[in-house]
Amino acid sequence: MNPLGYIAYEGKSLIDKSPIVVIVTALNSSANSKTGNMVQTFIIRSDVDPVTAAQTGQDFGICGACRHRPKAAKITGEPPCYVNKGHAPLQVFKAYKRGRYTKATPAQIKAALSGRIVRLGTYGDPFAAPVAMWEEIIKEAAGHTGYSHQWKRSDFDVDRWKKLVMASADNLDDAALANLNGMRAFRVSIGNDRQAAETICPASSEAGKKTTCANCQLCAGTTKAARDIVIQDHAAGYRKRIEIMKA
């Protein structure tokens, strides 16, 4: 019988040393209409459920200095995180607490992910867990996508991470800085302001949902010789933010 999922990492967050766990799910298939059939990975607190963590700010351990965290977004005015913590993240946490996931070594998970497309950080920032773990489990994968908001940190190993993730950029200055650091950027824009060096996310609504992330795979860091990616803000309240920008 195939396991429900794997525990890839269980230990301290590399962001703030809080207890976290990395769960690998959708080993057989994924029904996500935007991403397509990809293996999903959840980086969550192991001691508090995702909904409570987001409400109290304890999600810092798995999201770091992301300006879209619920508590941070209220201060920064940035678009709120698009992930509904009460859906998949909460269900994964509950299954983890019930002991439904199998502990496995990176080598075992690597074998299970052979030939699959892997999404690094379905929820949570991959940087919270060791880069060596991610490098190992996707060695035989057919492809991957990933994003990180932690690329400005002094302990962010650009040479290793740039091959795994896109630098999450909140504005044009962020994208330019990421490029200077040797990373490709994934930028969320308010409205349509695509730059010459950017490609609109092919899986987005504004691009007509031409494909899925699994088929596209452009968000694979520097393993792809491609332009940066931009996607319009579609998080809750986006119409108001567009009107404010136009005013």
Side-chain angles (χ1 to χ4, degrees):
M1 181 181 295
N2 291 327
L4 181 65
Y6 288 118
I7 296 174
Y9 175 76
E10 203 171 22
K12 292 182 179 180
S13 164
L14 299 189
I15 295 174
D16 69 353
K17 300 189 184 304
S18 60
I20 67 166
V21 61
V22 177
I23 306 292
V24 180
T25 69
L27 298 174
N28 298 313
S29 64
S30 171
N32 189 304
S33 60
K34 180 179 182 294
T35 66
N37 187 11
M38 301 179 74
V39 173
Q40 308 290 326
T41 62
F42 291 81
I43 303 110
I44 57 177
R45 289 284 298 253
S46 59
D47 60 336
V48 59
D49 72 82
V51 174
T52 301
Q55 292 172 342
T56 60
Q58 294 177 85
D59 59 346
F60 186 86
I62 52 98
C63 293
C66 176
R67 297 167 67 181
H68 305 283
R69 291 168 50 234
K71 287 183 74 68
K74 290 180 180 179
I75 299 172
T76 64
E78 294 282 349
C81 176
Y82 67 91
V83 179
N84 188 324
K85 289 76 176 169
H87 288 172
L90 182 59
Q91 295 310 308
V92 168
F93 176 81
K94 288 181 176 179
Y96 165 68
K97 286 299 187 182
R98 293 198 304 269
R100 295 295 310 280
Y101 298 117
T102 302
K103 290 187 178 181
T105 66
Q108 291 171 322
I109 298 174
K110 177 183 68 175
L113 302 189
S114 178
R116 298 294 307 279
I117 310 296
V118 186
R119 185 181 181 189
L120 309 187
T122 304
Y123 176 58
D125 195 301
F127 179 78
V131 64
M133 182 273 293
W134 296 112
E135 290 172 332
E136 179 66 15
I137 69 172
I138 67 167
K139 269 185 179 178
E140 296 178 7
H144 76 277
T145 64
Y147 315 85
S148 178
H149 259 100
Q150 312 311 309
W151 54 275
K152 294 180 183 178
R153 290 175 58 112
S154 61
D155 56 350
F156 187 87
D157 189 338
V158 173
D159 287 340
R160 296 178 74 175
W161 281 108
K162 69 181 182 181
K163 302 171 186 176
L164 298 175
V165 299
M166 306 288 285
S168 292
D170 295 316
N171 49 56
L172 291 171
D173 288 343
D174 267 3
L177 180 59
N179 291 162
L180 284 174
N181 288 345
M183 297 188 70
R184 291 179 59 228
F186 182 91
R187 183 173 68 89
V188 176
S189 69
I190 306 298
N192 182 9
D193 64 348
R194 182 182 71 84
Q195 305 298 298
E198 294 177 325
T199 296
I200 296 174
C201 170
S204 67
S205 297
E206 58 268 28
K209 299 181 180 179
K210 296 176 183 177
T211 186
T212 63
C213 298
N215 290 329
C216 174
Q217 297 178 48
L218 285 180
C219 291
T222 58
T223 62
K224 297 290 184 179
R227 295 178 178 181
D228 289 344
I229 308 297
V230 63
I231 191 170
Q232 289 184 30
D233 164 26
H234 291 297
Y238 74 94
R239 290 187 178 88
K240 182 178 180 180
R241 287 187 289 275
I242 291 175
E243 291 303 316
I244 292 174
M245 181 194 69
K246 290 179 178 179

